Structures are given as structure tokens and as C-alpha cells.
Amino acid sequence: MRTPDPQPRGIRLKARHVGVFYGEKQALFDVSLDVPEKAVTSLIGPSGCGKTTFLRCINRMNDTIEGCRVVGDITLDGQDIYDPSLDVVELRARVGMVFQKPNPFPKSVFENVAYGPRIHGLARSKADLEEIVVASLKRAGLFEEVKDRLREPGTGLSGGQQQRLCIARAIAVSPEVILMDEPCSALDPIATAVIEELIDELREHFTIVIVTHSMQQAARVSQKTAFFHLGWLIEEGPTEVILTHPRHKKTQDYITGRIG
Ligand code: ADP
Ligand code: MG
């Protein structure tokens, strides 16, 4: 028997020549990127270089910003996500998002996670819904800590627990892709380490794109890294290559701390 090729990862999310304008001002220029499935891709670069803007293109969050216009193509499983006939609510279930600041709903721990499966009709019964909630909390590494507080407000949890609750909420609808925008920036080092470990486990099931301003974090959690500068994607590749042997001077300057 032939041995299989080492880890050929499928590409189901592709961006081609993506540009973004806020009114007259162009914030992103001609970005083309393949996002490998079941891996973590990090977006790095100095503040204001367009990382969040690019992330928001992937689940059409930019639609909600007045005056924002996106050009170019983004496909998920070959489907144009900017196709006018596409249901954006459904897209956002397929492409979940976790924000910088944990933002649980002002509802119970249980309801935070049950909300998505309920509106998307994923549970056939109450027992079914409970099973999804418990499985999502377990997968987010939170269940043991909250199993006796499921009816208490999600906002009463610690910051790190709230962020894991937001991750549980995102995964409860079985997304294909999870976008994370500096998910640890509001957390202390211990809570950060817990989330980083979780991200590493989640990539077994999900395709993850994470924005981080920490190269150490990119090195710890991601297999692929893309470096942005002033709205341009300068360089992308395996994380260890980008962080140790980048080809471009701008990337070198950034990773050695000369810019950013
Ligand atoms: P990053 O996440 O890398 O810090 P952003 O994507 O937030 O960068 O911003 C990229 C550029 O787009 C910046 O110049 C920023 O000022 C601009 N920008 C971001 N969001 C908006 C917005 N809602 N309206 C106008 N300009 C914006
Ligand atoms: Mg940002």
C-alpha cells in the first residue's frame, strides 16, 4: 500500500482580489488568500493594516457598516458568498465569529448557547437542544466549570469563561469556519493560555482564521500565517517560515519589531 501524502489539506475558503472601501477610502487592496481547512490561519500586521476588515469580509459583517463596499471574490465550498441570492443569516451560521471583547447575550449560560441552534431549527426536541448545548460547552472546555450555573447569567462568568461561552455559542450551530478577532486581547495570561489550547483542539473539527497582534500567539496556535501591511497582503505561508524566514523586508521588519 502507498503511504498517503503528508497532510494534504483541502482549501474550501478562497479569497481572490478582495478590496474594501470605507466610503472613498480604500482599506484593503487586491487580497488573495487560500484558507486551509481544519487548520488555524493567523492574520498578523501592524494596527490599522486591515486584518479586521479582511476577517469581516468572510462572513459579510462589512455589510452592516454603512458606506463599506467589498470588491473581488470570496468563495466557500466553491459558492460565491457575495451572491445576492445567498442567505446571509445562513452564511453567518456557516462562518461563526468570536470578537475581541467577550460579548455574551444578557441571558443565561444555557440560553447563550441554545439561541443559535434554536433560530436555525437544529434541534428536534428539548432533549436534543440540551444535548447540543452540553456538547458545545464541553467542546469549548467550559462545561465542568458551569454545569451547576447553566441558568445563571452568562455575563456573570469570568472574562476567560465568557470568551469560551462565546466560542461555545459559535460552535453550537456547527460552523465550517470560525473567525476570531484578537480573542485573547481582553484576557489575562492564564485565560489566554486556556483559549490558545482550546483553539488547538478546535482545529480538528473547524477551519479557523484568527487575527492576532502577538507573533508568539501566531507561532503557538497557527499552521499558516498571512502578514498584512497598509491594506496589502505582503506575504503568506507556513507559520514557521513567515516568522523565521520571511522573504519580504516589510515582514522581516515587522517580526523583528522594527515596524508595528
Ligand atoms: P486592523 O484590524 O488591522 O487594526 P482594520 O481592519 O480595523 O485594521 O482597519 C483598516 C483600515 O480601515 C484603518 O485605516 C481603519 O481606520 C479603517 N477602518 C476600519 N473600520 C472602519 C470603519 N468602520 N469606517 C471607516 N474606516 C474604517
Ligand atoms: Mg483589528
Side-chain angles (χ1 to χ4, degrees):
M1 212 175 92
R2 283 180 55 205
T3 40
D5 291 338
Q7 288 287 310
R9 288 199 184 93
I11 305 291
R12 286 158 63 188
L13 179 63
K14 289 183 185 178
R16 291 293 177 272
H17 309 295
V18 172
V20 177
F21 298 80
Y22 294 109
E24 298 287 289
K25 185 180 175 278
Q26 187 163 3
L28 216 56
F29 301 83
D30 199 32
V31 173
S32 295
L33 184 68
D34 285 348
V35 176
E37 67 177 344
K38 300 201 171 156
V40 181
T41 298
S42 42
L43 312 181
I44 65 169
S47 181
C49 67
K51 305 179 295 295
T52 296
T53 297
F54 181 67
L55 204 66
R56 285 198 300 242
C57 290
I58 305 174
N59 67 348
R60 289 184 52 179
M61 283 289 283
N62 287 325
D63 287 17
T64 63
I65 298 172
E66 199 170 311
C68 184
R69 187 163 61 88
V70 178
V71 300
D73 296 304
I74 299 181
T75 56
L76 180 59
D77 289 334
Q79 184 184 26
D80 172 11
I81 67 161
Y82 284 86
D83 185 328
S85 69
L86 183 118
D87 180 347
V88 178
V89 174
E90 197 192 304
L91 173 69
R92 296 200 187 122
R94 291 170 69 193
V95 185
M97 189 148 180
V98 175
F99 297 84
Q100 263 175 291
K101 266 208 177 148
N103 60 347
F105 303 136
K107 289 173 183 284
S108 69
V109 169
F110 184 92
E111 285 302 321
N112 262 279
V113 185
Y115 179 81
R118 197 180 276 132
I119 61 164
H120 290 286
L122 300 183
R124 275 156 306 165
S125 63
K126 198 162 163 268
D128 227 15
L129 186 62
E130 279 175 15
E131 205 176 299
I132 294 173
V133 171
V134 170
S136 305
L137 287 168
K138 280 186 176 160
R139 193 166 268 180
L142 186 59
F143 184 69
E144 285 305 314
E145 289 161 59
V146 300
K147 63 184 179 202
D148 302 320
R149 321 162 55 175
L150 293 177
R151 301 292 162 190
E152 291 173 27
T155 49
L157 302 176
S158 75
Q161 289 172 329
Q162 287 188 29
Q163 199 58 307
R164 278 179 281 145
L165 180 61
C166 293
I167 291 171
R169 180 176 67 186
I171 64 186
V173 293
S174 300
E176 290 162 60
V177 181
I178 304 175
L179 310 175
M180 299 185 173
D181 194 350
E182 303 196 28
C184 302
S185 63
L187 305 180
D188 63 52
I190 292 170
T192 296
V194 172
I195 300 271
E196 287 183 357
E197 225 168 274
L198 173 60
I199 292 169
D200 197 49
E201 287 166 22
L202 290 174
R203 79 181 153 93
E204 200 180 309
H205 304 278
F206 305 100
T207 299
I208 298 173
V209 186
I210 181 173
V211 169
T212 176
H213 62 255
S214 156
M215 281 171 281
Q216 290 76 16
Q217 181 166 75
R220 286 191 295 263
V221 304
S222 71
Q223 291 71 53
K224 176 167 181 168
T225 292
F227 170 67
F228 287 74
H229 187 251
L230 297 175
W232 295 87
L233 171 56
I234 304 295
E235 179 164 7
E236 43 114 338
T239 296
E240 67 274 16
V241 175
I242 298 297
L243 296 184
T244 57
H245 298 96
R247 278 170 296 141
H248 290 262
K249 179 156 189 314
K250 283 197 178 93
T251 320
Q252 280 164 22
D253 287 350
Y254 181 71
I255 64 169
T256 55
R258 275 194 286 271
I259 53 172

